[in-house]
Amino acid sequence: MQVWRGVGQVPTDLGPTAVTIGNFDGVHRGHQALLGALVRTARAAGVPAVVVTFDPHPAAVHRPGQAPPLLTGLTDRIELLAGSGVDAVLVLDYTLDFARTSPEDFVLTYLVGALHACAVVVGEDTRFGWANAGDPTTMAALGTRHGFAVEVVADVAGTGGGRRWSSSWVRELLDAGDVAGAADVLGRPHRIRGVVVHGEARGRELGYPTANLGPDASGAVPADGVYAGWLVRGGTERLPAAVSVGTNPTFDGVTRVVEAYVLGRTDLALYGEEVVVELVEHLRPMLRFDGVDALVAQMADDVAAAARVLGV
């Protein structure tokens, strides 16, 4: 899959394409349905399937300090989009000046001018252009005017025909510690990506050395607690892990930390390495223990519980 950071990187000899647009935070099942429709449309027309997305997320530009945490950083978003079968992603730099682009100018500049769209696939909730004035009806009118077909994909409801899949639903589930529920909406375990940094080394002293993710880790952090999950190295090596999220109240900690103990491993050298932590199931809330012995006993139980959940 090709990744273009701005229209300047789009090949000048690019022919017609099928295009969709969106933030795609989390690339959840609703997004996957839209992307699947895009790929089918592109294959039927014999043209590349292209996703137009934005960085940073518009909410971070319009509501700095108040925007909800992103489910996926750009690296993971692109990786997940690649897994959907699309051929290229165009990442547009989202600024306040960019936000002032009218719906028609957005379509003419990016979809028609840069990408030569012959087909545009959008969701029912798609909004684009200044003040989100553009919607699927607007896109259909612009398609008639500028010579591209428009396909509108209906929202996809969750299990049992209930609430539609959405990024906000995933955030609610993560805030409640329900990572299994979040995985159901995402179609995969929720992931946090970060560089392993030095921590207090208490885990190593207690016989359970952990990989602590640095403060710049991407991916929304769920409620404090202990989780069963996987630590992924190099994109392919998946190691079973017990994951702790919280402030370590037994030691009067104040900083929230995400740290993962790889089951049965005390030999890993991970400092400075970028890893991904995937969360599978909530095991227990974060607790304060009366002493180290009680904590170590609970850690042993956590490791055993994680092993059962992960089937290792």
Side-chain angles (χ1 to χ4, degrees):
M1 186 188 77
Q2 298 183 68
V3 179
W4 304 318
R5 297 299 299 262
V7 293
Q9 293 187 3
V10 176
T12 56
D13 60 350
L14 180 69
T17 66
V19 182
T20 191
I21 60 175
N23 296 310
F24 297 103
D25 185 26
V27 195
H28 55 66
R29 287 188 172 184
H31 295 144
Q32 292 164 28
L34 177 62
L35 295 166
L38 171 69
V39 171
R40 289 190 295 274
T41 296
R43 299 295 178 263
V47 299
V50 181
V51 172
V52 177
T53 191
F54 311 99
D55 185 58
H57 192 287
V61 174
H62 291 289
R63 304 192 305 277
Q66 300 178 359
L70 291 178
L71 300 176
T72 47
L74 184 60
T75 296
D76 283 291
R77 195 187 339 162
I78 289 173
E79 183 177 297
L80 292 164
L81 289 171
S84 73
V86 303
D87 300 295
V89 174
L90 171 59
V91 182
L92 297 179
D93 185 24
Y94 194 93
T95 65
L96 289 176
D97 283 342
F98 174 83
R100 296 186 181 95
T101 306
S102 71
E104 184 161 20
D105 284 346
F106 172 80
V107 166
L108 287 175
T109 300
Y110 301 104
L111 306 192
V112 175
L115 298 176
H116 315 298
C118 65
V120 176
V121 181
V122 295
E124 287 182 325
D125 63 345
T126 295
R127 297 293 181 271
F128 62 98
W130 172 239
N132 282 332
D135 61 15
T137 300
T138 311
M139 188 68 79
L142 292 171
T144 299
R145 190 177 309 162
H146 299 293
F148 57 84
V150 175
E151 177 183 352
V152 180
V153 177
D155 287 341
V156 181
T159 304
R163 183 175 177 179
R164 75 179 184 92
W165 308 119
S166 68
S167 301
S168 58
W169 189 7
V170 177
R171 292 188 189 93
E172 290 175 18
L173 292 165
L174 293 176
D175 285 345
D178 185 1
V179 295
D184 186 45
V185 181
L186 290 168
R188 57 170 178 82
H190 175 62
R191 58 175 65 169
I192 304 171
R193 179 185 296 268
V195 174
V196 178
V197 300
H198 289 274
E200 299 292 335
R202 289 197 181 97
R204 182 169 299 278
E205 294 169 1
L206 299 175
Y208 297 95
T210 59
N212 291 29
L213 300 191
D216 295 328
S218 64
V221 177
D224 289 1
V226 177
Y227 299 85
W230 300 92
L231 185 143
V232 185
R233 302 178 71 187
T236 56
E237 185 182 10
R238 296 168 58 81
L239 303 171
V243 183
S244 172
V245 177
T247 60
N248 211 336
T250 300
F251 297 100
D252 297 318
V254 295
T255 302
R256 290 188 83 211
V257 176
V258 177
E259 51 185 327
Y261 166 67
V262 175
L263 306 189
R265 298 289 297 272
T266 60
D267 61 325
L268 294 173
L270 298 174
Y271 293 123
E273 184 175 332
E274 184 179 78
V275 300
V276 171
V277 172
E278 295 183 346
L279 302 171
V280 174
E281 187 170 308
H282 181 265
L283 299 178
R284 66 170 175 85
M286 184 59 62
L287 303 171
R288 175 188 288 273
F289 294 90
D290 292 335
V292 170
D293 291 343
L295 173 60
V296 171
Q298 181 61 62
M299 291 170 73
D301 289 344
D302 295 339
V303 168
R308 287 194 298 271
V309 168
L310 300 173
V312 298

